[in-house]
């Protein structure tokens, strides 16, 4: 995709150079014709003026063709850029949606973990030294292991705001 955009821009640049080369050629021939017309009458001047006018007409036609080609190539390059932007926008939208789906799944799992952990935390008897009744071994194996609970003051200083 990116290669196609680069190629389209390179072709546009080549076409642009060709067009401006034709413009320069036409201007050069127009200047030469004006000089020829302004010069004093000499034998064979009429033939030279006619030849210069023909060359100028051919240069104008070549300039017009180059201009049309440049406009055509520019339009294709712009279309390619628009297609590239749309594809990248679609890709970004997909990445964000995938990320949101992963966050939803993760938070559902965390909710389940907390649902199993809260009753255990509430069952802790602080007055008896913190010992909580242990579930029977068969029940413990069936439940997923909850995440570790950080210490009450781990990493929280007097200046830290919690929950903000």
């Amino acid at each position: 995709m990116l290669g196609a955009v680069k190629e389209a821009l390179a072709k546009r640049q080549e076409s642009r150079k060709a067009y401006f080369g034709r413009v320069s050629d036409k201007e050069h021939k127009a200047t030469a014709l004006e000089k020829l017309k302004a010069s004093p009458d000499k034998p064979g001047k009429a033939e030279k003026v006619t030849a210069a006018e023909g060359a100028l007409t051919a240069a104008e036609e070549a300039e017009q063709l180059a201009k049309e080609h440049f406009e055509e190539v520019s339009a294709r390059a712009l279309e390619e850029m628009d297609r590239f932007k749309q594809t990248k926008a679609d890709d970004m939208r997909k990445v964000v949606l995938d990320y949101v789906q992963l966050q939803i799944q993760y938070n559902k799992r965390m909710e389940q973990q907390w649902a199993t952990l809260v009753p255990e935390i509430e069952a802790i008897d602080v007055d008896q030294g913190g010992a909580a009744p242990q579930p029977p071994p068969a029940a413990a194996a069936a439940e997923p292991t909850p995440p570790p609970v950080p210490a009450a003051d781990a990493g929280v200083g007097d200046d830290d705001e919690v929950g903000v």
Side-chain angles (χ1 to χ4, degrees):
M1 175 56 82
L2 186 57
V5 170
K6 286 182 180 181
E7 184 179 334
L9 291 176
K11 286 182 180 179
R12 181 185 179 275
Q13 186 65 18
E14 289 174 19
S15 179
R16 182 178 175 270
K17 284 180 183 179
Y19 168 64
F20 284 111
R22 299 288 186 245
V23 169
S24 176
D25 185 48
K26 181 197 76 163
E27 289 172 354
H28 175 71
K29 290 183 181 186
T31 303
L33 178 62
E34 292 303 316
K35 283 183 184 179
L36 193 58
K37 286 181 177 179
S39 69
D41 288 337
K42 293 183 181 176
K45 178 181 174 183
E47 293 85 24
K48 287 183 181 179
V49 168
T50 303
E53 287 173 342
L56 178 61
T57 302
E60 287 172 343
E61 290 172 3
E63 176 195 14
Q64 185 61 33
L65 288 174
K67 181 180 180 182
E68 290 170 4
H69 183 260
F70 173 64
E71 289 171 350
E72 196 176 292
V73 170
S74 291
R76 277 193 304 239
L78 289 174
E79 287 172 8
E80 192 66 33
M81 287 295 295
D82 288 341
R83 188 170 68 91
F84 175 78
K85 287 178 184 178
Q86 184 62 43
T87 301
K88 289 301 158 191
D90 292 345
D91 290 348
M92 182 59 85
R93 194 173 300 115
K94 183 183 180 314
V95 166
V96 170
L97 288 174
D98 289 348
Y99 175 75
V100 167
Q101 289 297 321
L102 286 172
Q103 287 297 309
I104 290 170
Q105 292 171 2
Y106 172 77
N107 285 317
K108 284 180 180 178
R109 285 195 316 262
M110 288 306 297
E111 184 180 355
Q112 291 171 350
Q113 293 293 324
W114 279 107
T116 60
L117 185 60
V118 168
E120 291 179 25
I121 293 173
E122 290 173 346
I124 296 175
D125 187 5
V126 178
D127 294 333
Q128 298 294 328
Q134 295 295 324
E143 295 181 16
T145 307
V149 178
D153 63 341
V156 178
D158 294 336
D159 296 336
D160 293 336
E161 294 183 35
V162 179
V164 177

